[in-house]
Amino acid sequence: MMKKWILGVFLSFVMVLETHAEIIASGNDCAADDEESSCHWELASSGKLNITGSGVMKEWTEKNDYAIDDHGQPWFQYADLINEVNVQGVNSISTNAFDGF
């Protein structure tokens, strides 16, 4: 009984932390260049990258030189912070959306 109570308190604490995570970066620049697609991304201080929208995600060209800090993806500069990705509503994820991670 005590173990279940401790687990419940711990999970409640984790849920509170997740809902209070600060957004440290965001943008609306990940949609394909068409009239039908939209894409928004935001990175929380918890390390969770949320990508939402509709239609198709922009295609970024692959770059093999990982010394270059800009691979085109707007979230690339935060690669070391990202520990979880959640994609909702987007029909297609770019082949190179996480190239260099």
Side-chain angles (χ1 to χ4, degrees):
M1 180 72 161
M2 183 67 150
K3 287 181 184 180
K4 286 183 181 179
W5 181 83
I6 292 172
L7 180 61
V9 169
F10 175 75
L11 291 176
S12 297
F13 179 71
V14 169
M15 289 172 59
V16 167
L17 286 178
E18 179 64 29
T19 55
H20 288 42
E22 178 184 346
I23 302 303
I24 57 175
S26 66
N28 292 316
D29 49 356
C30 54
D33 294 328
D34 62 30
E35 299 292 320
E36 298 153 8
S37 298
S38 68
C39 186
H40 175 76
W41 66 275
E42 60 183 33
L43 177 61
S45 58
S46 64
K48 184 175 183 179
L49 174 64
N50 289 304
I51 301 173
T52 57
S54 62
V56 179
M57 185 183 285
K58 181 185 290 188
E59 282 292 333
W60 290 280
T61 56
E62 183 176 1
K63 294 182 181 178
N64 294 319
D65 182 0
Y66 295 119
I68 298 172
D69 287 340
D70 182 12
H71 285 233
Q73 315 94 319
W75 46 79
F76 182 81
Q77 64 182 323
Y78 306 103
D80 291 342
L81 302 175
I82 297 171
N83 58 36
E84 180 180 352
V85 177
N86 179 34
V87 180
Q88 293 183 334
V90 178
N91 298 338
S92 173
I93 299 172
S94 170
T95 305
N96 298 309
F98 303 102
D99 181 49
F101 277 57

